[in-house]
Amino acid sequence: MSPLLLVTIKLAAVALPLAALARGLRIYPSTRLVVLVLVPGLTSFVLLALPRLIWPLAVLDVLVASFIVGDLWTLPRARSFAVERRAGHIASLRQRHAVELAVSNLAARSYWLEIRDGAPHVLNPHPAEFAQQLDGRSRVFLEYAMRPSRRGAFTLTHIHLRARSRLRLWVRYLDYGCPTSINVYPDMKQLREYALLARTNRLRLVGVRRTRRIGQDHDFERLRDFGRDDNFKHIDWRATARRQKLTVKDFQASQSQRLVFLIDCGRMMTNEAAGLSLLDHALNAMLMLSYVALRQGDSVGLITFSDAVHNFVPVRGGMAQMNRLLHAVFDRYPQFVESRYDQAFRYVASHCRRRSLVVLVTNVIDEVNAHQVDRYLTSLVGRHLPLAVLLRDRRLFEAAETIEPHGDRLWQAAAAAEILTWRHQVLADLTSKGALALDLYPEEMTAPLVNRYLEIKARHLL
């Protein structure tokens, strides 16, 4: 037998079983095995110079093959392990969400395992993989954290194990079905913070101002400590004498008013600010203001739209409305389509007949969109109270505010200033026709929007 033919037979004898193992059982050679196989493979070329060494080399090949096959039998079977995932079904955007994996070794011997959960990359699992020596008849609990970067409904289908043989020559991949559904909602942390600060009269820490009422509502609500901006006429002297501390009466603002959100989900809301899309910022602010309005006794509704109306949450009161709003928007994403303001405002006209504060959250960057916002929003004046919330591009304002620009920066500053002048004119046109308007940075819109709502209530504009 010629040496070249022998080398060819050896290669075929190695490659064919490896292909069969990989295809059927998902068993692959490790780097150690590749190095080990190269030894008899390279020694075969010695036969070109010394053909009489064929039998010693054949014995070497048999020993190496026996060594490799023997280690192959130490790989675990699929039924050697059992896995389980424990995770809450509700997570918040960009907030830590703990997940626990339980891996059980049902076999008598120990195995070296590498364990990875099948979580999508947008959930940002950390750590993404675990390496663990698992003793026989034992169980290990592994915990990692997700920080979802996108809202929506996600299904974790499998847990993946990579087991090594005793001598680390072979690697076997095992997949275990373990379906778990996780719904990622907009960040609710801001609502908990607001509730805590509201109970302790510290809302100024999140930028919410105490608005002085024009006129006075007469329904008594509660007694509280005197504040610097309180009217002396509202001091309750009996309570003050009893508590030995200045105490004032709080009166309820007008309740049972209506608030309707129109959230644009079209191409204008696909830009990002502070790592989130404009739509994410809009939804966070919408949920915060909805929470404030519902606590004030008002009713809240929602319409999301792009090239069609996607969601409609009828105007209702009560804190149960927060769940309806959350379920309506948690899997809503911005789309690269032109928004149909005409359809959205026709929907408002047909489904919201009682006078309401209609808050349109959108972005304008060209004459076409600005004209549509002006045309349809101002058509509500008289029947409703329209409020336009236009989202700024921070880069545009930074370019216009460059100190002593020169070169290319000069032209960029001039172009940015021209766009901002046009934008200011759009806002001026809206307010001159009876609509309210806010021009806000997306990441800073929550507190100004809440303040404007409280100001509207204080001035009895509804």
Side-chain angles (χ1 to χ4, degrees):
M1 182 181 298
S2 67
L4 289 177
L5 180 59
L6 182 60
V7 171
T8 303
I9 293 174
K10 284 186 177 183
L11 291 176
V14 171
L16 292 177
L18 289 179
L21 289 172
R23 183 180 180 87
L25 300 176
R26 300 185 66 198
I27 296 176
Y28 300 89
S30 66
T31 305
R32 289 186 180 185
L33 178 57
V34 173
V35 173
L36 183 62
V37 169
L38 286 177
V39 174
L42 294 176
T43 55
S44 299
F45 288 97
V46 177
L47 296 176
L48 295 175
L50 301 171
R52 64 179 180 274
L53 295 180
I54 186 171
W55 292 113
L57 291 178
V59 173
L60 176 63
D61 292 344
V62 171
L63 292 176
V64 171
S66 301
F67 194 67
I68 292 173
V69 172
D71 192 50
L72 176 63
W73 287 105
T74 65
L75 282 173
R77 300 181 180 183
R79 62 174 180 268
S80 298
F81 303 104
V83 299
E84 183 181 356
R85 182 192 297 111
R86 299 169 185 171
H89 294 291
I90 296 177
S92 293
L93 184 66
R94 305 186 81 177
Q95 296 299 312
R96 185 180 185 277
H97 185 69
V99 180
E100 185 181 69
L101 303 179
V103 182
S104 302
N105 182 3
L106 306 179
R109 55 153 298 191
S110 63
Y111 291 100
W112 178 262
L113 299 177
E114 291 161 287
I115 304 156
R116 175 187 289 268
D117 199 358
H121 70 280
V122 294
L123 297 182
N124 298 317
H126 181 78
E129 187 174 292
F130 299 90
Q132 184 75 34
Q133 179 75 30
L134 192 57
D135 296 332
R137 312 294 184 187
S138 66
R139 172 183 289 189
V140 65
F141 295 94
L142 307 170
E143 183 173 316
Y144 71 93
M146 299 177 178
R147 289 191 182 271
S149 60
R150 195 182 73 180
R151 294 170 291 102
F154 300 91
T155 300
L156 282 59
T157 57
H158 290 83
I159 297 176
H160 309 284
L161 270 59
R162 182 167 56 195
R164 297 185 180 274
S165 59
R166 184 182 295 274
L167 299 176
R168 308 286 180 90
L169 299 180
W170 297 96
V171 177
R172 184 173 189 180
Y173 291 83
L174 299 168
D175 295 339
Y176 295 88
C178 189
T180 302
S181 298
I182 296 179
N183 293 338
V184 180
Y185 290 91
D187 183 12
M188 295 291 98
K189 182 181 178 182
Q190 57 179 347
L191 303 187
R192 295 192 296 270
E193 291 178 349
Y194 179 90
L196 177 61
L197 295 176
R199 287 195 297 269
T200 56
N201 288 322
R202 294 185 298 162
L203 288 177
R204 63 185 182 278
L205 297 180
V206 291
V208 177
R209 302 189 303 268
R210 177 178 296 175
T211 305
R212 181 178 178 271
R213 294 188 181 94
I214 298 177
Q216 179 64 49
D217 298 310
H218 299 289
D219 293 335
F220 174 77
E221 182 181 10
R222 62 170 178 161
L223 294 173
R224 61 172 175 79
D225 293 341
F226 178 82
R228 185 173 57 183
D229 299 327
D230 287 324
N231 193 325
F232 290 101
K233 295 180 181 180
H234 301 151
I235 296 178
D236 188 315
W237 294 108
R238 289 187 177 181
T240 298
R242 186 170 58 252
R243 300 177 67 230
Q244 296 295 308
K245 189 175 185 181
L246 281 174
T247 305
V248 296
K249 295 179 180 179
D250 247 358
F251 298 92
Q252 292 181 355
S254 300
Q255 297 185 357
S256 300
Q257 295 176 328
R258 298 163 64 85
L259 175 61
V260 178
F261 287 96
L262 273 173
I263 307 295
D264 183 3
C265 302
R267 67 181 180 90
M268 295 297 177
M269 304 294 281
T270 56
N271 289 343
E272 291 192 355
L276 294 176
S277 69
L278 298 188
L279 180 59
D280 281 312
H281 288 293
L283 294 178
N284 286 339
M286 180 272 295
L287 291 170
M288 183 64 174
L289 181 51
S290 298
Y291 181 78
V292 175
L294 292 169
R295 281 175 58 93
Q296 296 269 350
D298 291 340
S299 301
V300 180
L302 170 70
I303 296 173
T304 62
F305 70 98
S306 57
D307 56 343
V309 174
H310 301 302
N311 300 97
F312 172 58
V313 180
V315 180
R316 293 180 184 173
M319 296 309 296
Q321 183 73 342
M322 284 300 301
N323 285 334
R324 301 185 189 100
L325 295 171
L326 277 170
H327 285 291
V329 301
F330 84 95
D331 58 351
R332 178 59 53 199
Y333 307 114
Q335 303 178 21
F336 287 96
V337 295
E338 198 68 39
S339 297
R340 293 288 303 273
Y341 294 92
D342 55 339
Q343 293 187 13
F345 281 93
R346 278 201 300 269
Y347 209 86
V348 171
S350 61
H351 291 80
C352 305
R353 298 185 181 276
R354 292 179 54 187
R355 180 172 173 81
S356 308
L357 172 62
V358 179
V359 181
L360 171 65
V361 184
T362 186
N363 186 22
V364 292
I365 58 175
D366 55 42
E367 291 283 355
V368 175
N369 289 87
H371 174 70
Q372 291 192 68
V373 171
D374 182 280
R375 175 184 174 185
Y376 293 108
L377 190 65
T378 56
S379 68
L380 299 179
V381 174
R383 181 183 305 172
H384 299 285
L385 179 62
L387 169 61
V389 181
L390 305 184
L391 304 183
R392 294 178 173 181
D393 187 339
R394 186 175 292 276
R395 293 169 299 179
L396 193 64
F397 281 78
E398 290 175 349
E401 295 169 357
T402 303
I403 300 176
E404 297 183 0
H406 59 276
D408 291 340
R409 290 178 177 263
L410 177 62
W411 304 110
Q412 293 174 4
E418 182 178 358
I419 295 173
L420 294 181
T421 301
W422 166 80
R423 185 183 181 92
H424 179 74
Q425 186 60 47
V426 170
L427 293 167
D429 291 342
L430 287 171
T431 54
S432 67
K433 295 177 181 178
L436 304 177
L438 286 174
D439 188 25
L440 304 171
Y441 291 116
E443 62 272 26
E444 300 172 359
M445 67 182 295
T446 301
L449 186 56
V450 172
N451 287 329
R452 177 55 64 92
Y453 160 77
L454 296 176
E455 178 186 349
I456 290 170
K457 289 184 68 67
R459 295 175 62 189
H460 306 284
L461 296 181
L462 275 175

